[in-house]
Amino acid sequence: MNPYRHLRIAICNDHAGYELKLKIVEYLLGEGATDVKDFGCHSTESCDYPDFAHPMASAIKRGEFEYGISICGTGNGISMVLNKHFGIRAALCWNPQIAALARQHNDANVLSLPARFITEEDALSMLDVFFMTKFEGGRHQTRIDKINQ
Ligand code: RB5
């Protein structure tokens, strides 16, 4: 059983998230993921996270990917960009419990990580939890329906 086989996952980052992104992609491929698209950036040279987050959000909105991962120094800037897009729910997570709740309660479709404030081990510990945890629906769906004005 390969739980990642049918998942289409997009990933984006800025320079602060580049090294962690490489580790995450390596992990996902090692776990059997076959459909991981890297929207960049592709080096540690200083860049602007919106340039990579907007294209990833658009691709998720078009239905090309079920989930995304976004990484910048704090995880905040890149999440702010993604959450401007209707239908994108990027959740800033720093431990597995928060990652699980982001799926169960918020139906988050993007796992956003603060590269400068977590370890590689922290990041990897959130991946299986995030991608394998189901949304609970019910009262949480009612709340999600009220997010957009
Ligand atoms: C880059 O220095 C940093 O500002 C960025 O990665 C992010 O933390 C912004 O929210």
Side-chain angles (χ1 to χ4, degrees):
M1 172 68 173
N2 170 6
Y4 281 99
R5 191 177 51 188
H6 299 296
L7 289 184
R8 295 167 297 158
I9 302 172
I11 188 162
C12 69
N13 58 281
D14 72 356
H15 53 285
Y18 173 71
E19 301 285 358
L20 182 57
K21 185 266 300 284
L22 295 182
K23 299 294 184 186
I24 287 173
V25 171
E26 183 184 340
Y27 175 83
L28 292 173
L29 297 178
E31 289 298 301
T34 55
D35 198 350
V36 179
K37 177 161 179 179
D38 182 354
F39 283 80
C41 73
H42 301 290
S43 80
T44 55
E45 189 178 333
S46 183
C47 64
D48 303 326
Y49 48 81
D51 296 341
F52 310 97
H54 282 306
M56 185 180 91
S58 297
I60 293 173
K61 285 197 295 184
R62 287 195 301 269
E64 294 170 18
F65 302 94
E66 280 118 14
Y67 295 111
I69 301 170
S70 60
I71 318 165
C72 69
T74 62
N76 272 326
I78 208 159
S79 300
M80 289 177 186
V81 176
L82 293 164
N83 283 320
K84 289 285 182 189
H85 290 256
F86 185 86
I88 301 293
R89 287 177 299 282
L92 178 59
C93 297
W94 56 93
N95 67 40
Q97 291 75 24
I98 291 173
L101 286 166
R103 291 286 310 124
Q104 290 167 344
H105 289 189
N106 310 118
D107 198 17
N109 50 12
V110 177
L111 171 67
S112 197
L113 299 173
R116 288 179 174 153
F117 297 89
I118 59 172
T119 64
E120 177 189 330
E121 188 183 11
D122 291 333
L124 298 184
S125 75
M126 288 182 251
L127 296 178
D128 291 0
V129 169
F130 185 83
F131 291 114
M132 305 309 153
T133 300
K134 301 290 179 213
F135 176 48
E136 289 177 359
R139 68 187 188 281
H140 301 296
Q141 184 62 57
T142 304
R143 293 161 187 168
I144 286 172
D145 291 341
K146 293 181 178 181
I147 289 176
N148 287 104
Q149 297 295 303

